[in-house]
Every structure is written in structure tokens, then in C-alpha cells.
Amino acid sequence: MMESVGVYGFCGCKGKSKVKCDSRWEITAAETAPTSAYSSPARSLGDTGITPLSPSHILNDADPVSEQQTFLVVVAIDFGTTSSGYAYSFTKEPECIHVMRRWEGGDPGVSNQKTPTTILLTPERKFHSFGYAARDFYHDLDPNEAKQWLYLEKFKMKLHTTGDLTMDTDLTAANGKKVKALEIFTYALQYFKEQALKELSDQAGSDFENSDVRWVITVPAIWKQPAKQFMREAAYQAGLASPENSEQLIIALEPEAASIYCRKLRLHQMIELSSKAVVNGYSASDTVGAGFAQAKEHVRRNRQSRTFLVENVIGEIWSELEEGDKYVVVDSGGGTVDLTVHQIRLPEGHLKELYKATGGPYGSLGVDYEFEKLLCKIFGEDFIEQFKIKRPAAWVDLMIAFESRKRAAAPDRTNPLNITLPFSFIDYYKKFRGHSVEHALRKSNVDFVKWSSQGMLRMSPDAMNALFKPTIDSIIEHLRDLFQKPEVSTVKFLFLVGGFAEAPLLQQAVQAAFGDKCRIIIPQDVGLTILKGAVLFGLDPAVIKVRRSPLTYGVGVLNRYVEGKHPPEKLLVKDGTRWCTDVFDKFISADQSVALGELVKRSYTPAKPSQLVIIINIYSSENDDVSFITDPGVKKCGTLRLDLTGTSGAAVPARREIQTLMQFGDTEIKATAVDIATSKSVKVGIDFLNY
């Protein structure tokens, strides 16, 4: 029989320092009942009682990354909002990073070392294709037939924007039909797994086993725990790893991966935008234009090899760094912008996070949304919505045409940008409105967009730049806020990475705002920086020694009631003893510095020897100053589950102590547990999705 409880207890240290005492909580069986974060679990759960001393932090001296098995190769998947790809390195040749084979298809002038994050399902909802293949097949379908197929793009943002993400969260395909997000992410990861294993097998001359691979999947640093767990669950379903062999899969944070790679940069592998110095003969005035163009040409010429040599030593850029120097990584991708602040530790080049990761939905998709708003202004929101539903493949074509022109936007551009309208757009508009597209443009009062007789929208450079402005302004404002923090005041470098970092308009804005504060560096092959860094992270996951907790985490406990200190409504009397309910027992504070391998220890005692499962509610808050689990901003965010089956033995005492160790210094929150009496491991799980 399974008995479950909400975490609850009293703290015996009465609010004093909790550093050196143990925590032992006796958990009594409780009737489970639904509870919200704002109700008292003591009353709703039928009085769950715990007998604790206090919590403690332990610094683990052992190597925090337990290598239970050795892997022949590390494969990193950069699962991006707009484009994705993989790269790998053999553990015996860690200095060589191989980027995947060139993709079939692609757009003129766009690097196809990554492929669009697009997926196509058949009308029967079976996987058909991914990337360029999906996009091209969908494009070639008859318009009526296309309505039956499920085409999805840019779906990764759903994991960031969904507040109540679960395993049942839906995505909407281009034809308006719903499909389970977990299914789509699983299909995508299965595709990359098959592509990578096939390439590795071809290279090795024999079948390459999945068990030989350590997988790394990149996610934004600002993603919360549910989104990270969702990615892990999808990877398990795709067969990359399993819950029993969870160490085979590592979740990497995108700006961290970029930071790890930037440590290795040689001078010829980067472009400096800031006005503080001239590097490689590029001055601040010509870097954005000619400098970046020359760098991209250099990258294009060297792209055929697909193999990048990484220095075993720290790159030349660090020759100017001293112990304790700080730098910012701005990862500007398709969906989000992630900012992280690192401090270098010499001589090994280990990294310490100085301020919790920040950012927001300020990726290049914001430019697409502005273009869509412009189309709505010209042609009417009702038409655009109908067109997307009735001609989904043509809408995709229109956005592809816009994407290629978007990449041509530049601060000094003088000639207009032409965007081809699909024939079905022109035709459907005439049927819908009864007059021509040209007539709509004349009536719209949008002066900076004209109609070209070749069937194109002709946008002035100012019009295109205006589409970038809201997104770029958000990035600059966020960076300004970050630079106000004391931890960031003496930053030496700012690394601009991610696909959106290729945009000259963003480069110019960052240079203008921060060029006098620090040196602004762009790696040459900027779109592959995260991918290559993720491989390096998979080879050495312990390179980032200290991180910052994004949230305050804890559980609800009972404390001795103190008159005048505790609110009267929190008073609970049990067996003549007065308790204060709902006290927030903090595991870790928001923005608290936590070392890799640092553990938070708790001990629990089941109420009865027969109890097989203990379930404990975990609460979180963005605030540091939390007193009760009912405080504003505190919400239940997950559960800690201790499975006691299989740990009992003949010599087990009536009062069993289950010691739980939680680790907050990794890219994911992890936990282990042991039955003290038998020294047997207890199966433990932290769940942020299904609670």
C-alpha cells in the first residue's frame, strides 16, 4: 500500500543557524487531499507531523560527476527555436570537434550546417521528415492536401511560454490541429539520434551502439525546472538514455556552453566590435560591415572540413585575463536571449557564475512577429488569420522569403528589400476582399512599403530596421539592467553569440551601448558556438564549478509556536503542544552561490515501518525573504518522492532514517537517498512536471 504525504514538520533549531545540525523529520501517514500553495497542508492533509532537527549544507569533496561508465564519443544536440544541429567528439581526441554532415536543401546565403527546427507528420500523425526535407516536402504539397499534413516550426518556445507545462501540453500545427508536445520533441530527438549514429557508424565502418554515446542537449539558462525535465523525458522516450542510466544524458545551458567554447578562442577566430582596440586590422567603424563579411567568408571557405580543432590550453584571449576577471555571455537566439556572468579561475580556466541567469523572449522571432503585425496593418488581421489556416504552406513560404531578406538588413543599407508574395497570397486576397494587393497597399497609409510590379513587397531599409527595433531595444534594456548590478560592474569582455548575433543591427546596438564599458567579442562561426561548447561540456561537465540558484527552494515544516512572533492563524495544537504551521524551511535562496557537488541534507523517518512511499511537496519563490509557504509569490513547484520498497531487511529498526541529499549546483536539481540502517540506496525522484 502506498501512503503519500505533503512535506510538513517542525524545526527544532527555533530559527537559529542551521549550518551544523542534522535534519530528521518523522513523517506520519496522512490522508491525501488536494492542496493549493495557499492553503495550510496541516489542515487539508489531516495533520502531517514531522520530528526534525535542522537542515545542513555539506560540501562534497568527491568528484561530483560520477562516471559510472566510459563513453567513446560525446554527441551534442543544439535544439534551437529556429535551427538545430549536432556535433560530436571522440573522447580519445577531445581536441577535434566534428560538426554534422551538410544538410540537403537550404537557402541561398544561409549556412546549412544547421537545419531548420521544422517537423512534418503525415495525416495519420506519423513522423515523415525533419528540417529542410520537411519544409521542402510541405512546400511541394497540393494546397488542399497540405491542409491534412501536420507541419510544426519554432515550437521550442512553447516550453518557455507555458506556465503550467505538463506531459500533456499541446502544440498547434500550421493547419490548426493539436498534437502532443512530448510526441513532437521525441520525434525530433529520435531523428537526431538516428542521423548521428548513422554518421558515426559510417565513420567507424561498423555499427555504432547508442550505449557508447554520451548525449548532451542544450536548453536556455532561463528555462525553469519543468522545461528541463520535459526535455529529459522526451530524450528518454527517444531512446537517447533511460531513467536507470540518467548519466548518459546531460542537459547543458546554452550560454554556459558558449562561455566554455569562448575560453578556447584564438585571435583569428573572433571579431572585436568595441571601440577600445583594433583586432586583426578591423577598427570599430568597419567591423560591423566589412570585418564581419570577411570573417563569414573565411568561415565559408573553411566549412568543408566540418572539423574544428580546439586548443587544449586556454585560448589567446585569456592571456589578458587575470584571476577573478569577469565577462558576460549574451546568447541571442531565435526564441530567447540568455545572459550569464562568469568569472575565470586560473590556471585551470574553471568558471564561476556570478549572477543568476537572466533574459527573456527577445530572440529573432520578435522580428517575425513585427512583420506579421505589419501585414495585419496592411491587409487586415482577419485576412492574415484566415490565410494562415486556409493556405498554411503558402504562409510558411512567405515567412521563408521574409527570413532571407531579414538577414540582409544592415545599419548602412540604402537600397530597398524585396519580399516575394506567394501567388496564392495575391489570389486569395482578391477572393477574400474583392480587390487587389496593390490596392490594399495604397489604402493602408504605410508609406515605407510599396508594391513592385514583379509581385513583391518593396520595403525601405528604415522599414526593415523598424521591425528589429522592439526586440533589440528589449535586449539592450535588459543588458543595461544587468550592468547596474554590483557583480557586473567591472566586466572585461562581452561575448555576443547565437544565431541572432549575426544581425549587424544587433551588433551595432550592442557596440553603441556598451563599447565604452567592455570589449565586445563575436566568435567567427557564431551560430555554431553553442554547439561546439556543448561538446566540450559533455567531455568535462565539471568545468563550471559554481552556479547561482535561479529561485528559492524549500518545504513546509512545523515550528514551536512563539507568541508575538508567529501569526495566530498559524497556530496548531497537537497533544497539548503548540505548533506554528506552514513555516518555509529553505533549501537554497534565489541567487545563492552554490558549488558543484555541494549538497543539502535532510533525514526523514517514515511514520510506520510498513510505509513504502514518502511524497514531499517542494515550494519555490523568486524572493529570498520567505517565511511561510503561504507568502505571496510562493508556489508549489514539484515533489520529492522516496520509494522505500526493497530497502527493508530483517534488522531494520522500528524508526528508520532515510537520508536525502539534494544537489542544486548542477544544470538540473538532483537527489539521492540512502536508508541509514541498511546502507541501501533508496529510489528517489524529483518531479517538476507531474505533481
Side-chain angles (χ1 to χ4, degrees):
M1 189 178 81
M2 184 178 96
E3 297 180 71
S4 97
V5 297
V7 113
Y8 222 82
F10 64 82
C11 181
C13 68
K14 299 180 183 174
K16 294 177 185 173
S17 169
K18 298 182 176 181
V19 176
K20 293 185 179 174
C21 359
D22 275 332
S23 164
R24 291 185 176 78
W25 296 0
E26 178 179 344
I27 304 197
T28 57
E31 305 240 314
T32 49
T35 63
S36 77
Y38 300 99
S39 65
S40 167
R43 295 180 174 89
S44 61
L45 282 175
D47 179 23
T48 308
I50 306 176
T51 326
L53 299 172
S54 81
S56 65
H57 279 268
I58 316 163
L59 192 60
N60 193 10
D61 294 328
D63 185 343
V65 181
S66 56
E67 287 291 347
Q68 294 171 339
Q69 65 185 103
T70 54
F71 300 99
L72 298 180
V73 68
V74 168
V75 178
I77 300 171
D78 180 6
F79 198 122
T81 303
T82 50
S83 61
S84 300
Y86 68 87
Y88 58 93
S89 178
F90 294 96
T91 50
K92 287 184 178 175
E93 296 178 339
E95 68 282 356
C96 289
I97 298 175
H98 308 271
V99 177
M100 67 237 148
R101 294 169 173 160
R102 292 170 65 82
W103 302 96
E104 289 182 18
D107 302 317
V110 178
S111 158
N112 59 344
Q113 291 220 283
K114 289 166 83 175
T115 193
T117 308
T118 53
I119 195 165
L120 183 63
L121 306 188
T122 66
E124 296 73 40
R125 295 174 177 255
K126 301 292 183 194
F127 176 80
H128 180 271
S129 48
F130 187 91
Y132 287 117
R135 206 184 70 182
D136 295 347
F137 187 92
Y138 188 61
H139 166 84
D140 292 341
L141 285 170
D142 175 85
N144 288 321
E145 198 181 351
K147 290 182 201 172
Q148 307 305 315
W149 289 67
L150 285 82
Y151 179 85
L152 295 102
E153 61 180 353
K154 300 163 187 164
F155 48 84
K156 180 184 168 187
M157 276 299 284
K158 184 81 172 183
L159 300 196
H160 179 67
T161 55
T162 304
D164 54 349
L165 183 68
T166 70
M167 304 281 265
D168 294 320
T169 294
D170 285 327
L171 297 172
T172 305
N175 62 2
K177 292 182 180 176
K178 302 279 188 191
V179 60
K180 290 276 175 278
L182 188 64
E183 201 177 312
I184 295 302
F185 279 84
T186 300
Y187 278 143
L189 291 172
Q190 265 175 344
Y191 172 80
F192 279 113
K193 176 191 167 192
E194 287 166 12
Q195 292 288 317
L197 288 178
K198 186 174 188 310
E199 182 170 342
L200 289 166
S201 297
D202 289 350
Q203 198 158 327
S206 60
D207 282 353
F208 217 89
E209 296 297 326
N210 186 67
S211 57
D212 294 329
V213 179
R214 162 164 266 172
W215 296 95
V216 181
I217 298 176
T218 64
V219 304
I222 55 172
W223 268 17
K224 293 190 166 55
Q225 292 298 329
K228 293 177 187 176
Q229 185 182 333
F230 187 95
M231 266 319 230
R232 183 169 278 279
E233 294 289 345
Y236 288 162
Q237 293 209 10
L240 273 69
S242 66
E244 296 73 34
N245 191 16
S246 60
E247 291 293 314
Q248 190 176 1
L249 170 67
I250 297 175
I251 299 293
L253 307 183
E254 287 162 2
E256 283 191 358
S259 177
I260 291 163
Y261 180 70
C262 287
R263 288 156 61 248
K264 305 281 189 178
L265 285 175
R266 312 291 288 184
L267 288 177
H268 67 273
Q269 295 172 309
M270 63 190 188
I271 306 129
E272 178 152 3
L273 294 187
S274 54
S275 52
K276 287 198 165 185
V278 174
V279 172
N280 289 350
Y282 301 144
S283 69
S285 59
D286 67 15
T287 304
V288 171
F292 204 70
Q294 287 177 43
K296 286 175 85 168
E297 175 61 21
H298 171 79
V299 169
R300 189 191 64 75
R301 284 199 307 269
N302 288 283
R303 189 166 276 141
Q304 297 301 325
S305 69
R306 299 188 303 110
T307 299
F308 295 84
L309 288 176
V310 178
E311 302 295 326
N312 282 323
V313 296
I314 290 175
E316 287 164 313
I317 197 162
W318 300 115
S319 62
E320 301 174 42
L321 281 173
E322 298 169 2
E323 174 73 32
D325 277 349
K326 307 168 189 176
Y327 61 94
V328 175
V329 176
V330 180
D331 170 22
S332 45
T336 55
V337 165
D338 251 351
L339 313 176
T340 193
V341 187
H342 279 158
Q343 186 174 45
I344 191 83
R345 286 177 162 187
L346 299 174
E348 301 92 346
H350 290 150
L351 302 174
K352 174 182 179 181
E353 189 176 25
L354 288 183
Y355 188 74
K356 66 180 180 182
T358 60
Y362 317 130
S364 61
L365 280 187
V367 186
D368 298 358
Y369 295 144
E370 290 299 316
F371 177 61
E372 190 174 328
K373 277 162 63 178
L374 178 64
L375 292 177
C376 289
K377 187 175 178 183
I378 297 169
F379 302 108
E381 193 173 338
D382 54 344
F383 167 72
I384 295 297
E385 288 307 311
Q386 275 300 302
F387 181 71
K388 284 160 79 172
I389 294 165
K390 299 289 187 186
R391 301 285 188 272
W395 174 255
V396 170
D397 286 348
L398 174 55
M399 293 312 291
I400 290 168
F402 172 69
E403 176 68 27
S404 69
R405 304 322 297 144
K406 182 172 85 173
R407 290 172 181 271
D412 53 355
R413 188 182 178 101
T414 54
N415 53 322
L417 295 125
N418 295 325
I419 298 160
T420 304
L421 284 181
F423 171 75
S424 60
F425 185 99
I426 299 165
D427 182 55
Y428 191 69
Y429 184 78
K430 188 153 192 177
K431 287 176 183 169
F432 190 87
R433 287 274 190 253
H435 56 247
S436 68
V437 163
E438 188 178 359
H439 179 261
L441 273 162
R442 277 202 309 271
K443 280 192 67 179
S444 69
N445 297 322
V446 178
D447 297 333
F448 42 78
V449 180
K450 305 292 183 193
W451 177 247
S452 152
S453 56
Q454 290 96 348
M456 300 183 197
L457 293 179
R458 179 165 287 180
M459 293 183 73
S460 71
D462 287 346
M464 179 62 87
N465 295 0
L467 300 182
F468 279 78
K469 192 175 186 308
T471 302
I472 289 177
D473 285 353
S474 294
I475 295 169
I476 299 300
E477 184 183 347
H478 206 92
L479 267 169
R480 282 210 173 97
D481 289 346
L482 184 66
F483 271 81
Q484 298 299 317
K485 310 290 181 193
E487 300 92 335
V488 192
S489 56
T490 55
V491 160
K492 207 164 194 174
F493 293 103
L494 184 152
F495 290 100
L496 196 55
V497 303
F500 196 27
E502 292 182 4
L505 289 166
L506 176 59
Q507 293 173 18
Q508 187 198 50
V510 172
Q511 180 186 356
F514 307 103
D516 60 340
K517 292 183 174 64
C518 58
R519 292 173 60 185
I520 297 163
I521 308 286
I522 303 181
Q524 273 187 2
D525 218 351
V526 66
L528 297 177
T529 303
I530 290 157
L531 190 50
K532 291 184 271 189
V535 174
L536 294 173
F537 182 64
L539 292 165
D540 181 15
V543 63
I544 302 203
K545 295 295 185 189
V546 181
R547 289 185 174 88
R548 296 274 177 155
S549 176
L551 296 170
T552 297
Y553 289 100
V555 293
V557 299
L558 297 166
N559 263 0
R560 295 272 184 173
Y561 188 83
V562 179
E563 205 73 49
K565 176 188 173 187
H566 293 135
E569 65 271 17
K570 299 294 184 189
L571 175 62
L572 174 74
V573 180
K574 177 175 166 57
D575 299 330
T577 305
R578 291 154 63 85
W579 301 108
C580 180
T581 67
D582 300 338
V583 175
F584 186 86
D585 173 32
K586 195 183 293 179
F587 289 167
I588 195 162
S589 298
D591 202 34
Q592 181 179 327
S593 187
V594 55
L596 190 63
E598 191 175 334
L599 302 165
V600 177
K601 182 169 73 169
R602 296 289 189 279
S603 290
Y604 304 103
T605 300
K608 297 182 292 190
S610 61
Q611 191 170 342
L612 299 180
V613 174
I614 299 172
I615 295 178
I616 297 156
N617 293 334
I618 301 173
Y619 296 86
S620 68
S621 172
E622 292 183 4
N623 303 320
D624 178 24
D625 185 19
V626 180
S627 301
F628 299 97
I629 60 171
T630 52
D631 285 356
V634 178
K635 60 182 181 181
K636 182 181 165 188
C637 66
T639 56
L640 179 69
R641 187 179 193 274
L642 303 174
D643 185 347
L644 309 184
T645 54
T647 60
S648 58
V652 172
R655 274 177 78 84
R656 294 164 68 192
E657 182 184 339
I658 312 298
Q659 188 179 88
T660 306
L661 299 171
M662 279 163 286
Q663 186 176 331
F664 292 89
D666 213 330
T667 57
E668 300 169 276
I669 296 174
K670 297 177 180 176
T672 55
V674 66
D675 189 326
I676 296 297
T678 62
S679 299
K680 287 185 179 178
S681 289
V682 172
K683 193 175 177 186
V684 58
I686 295 186
D687 195 342
F688 295 98
L689 275 174
N690 313 295
Y691 58 87

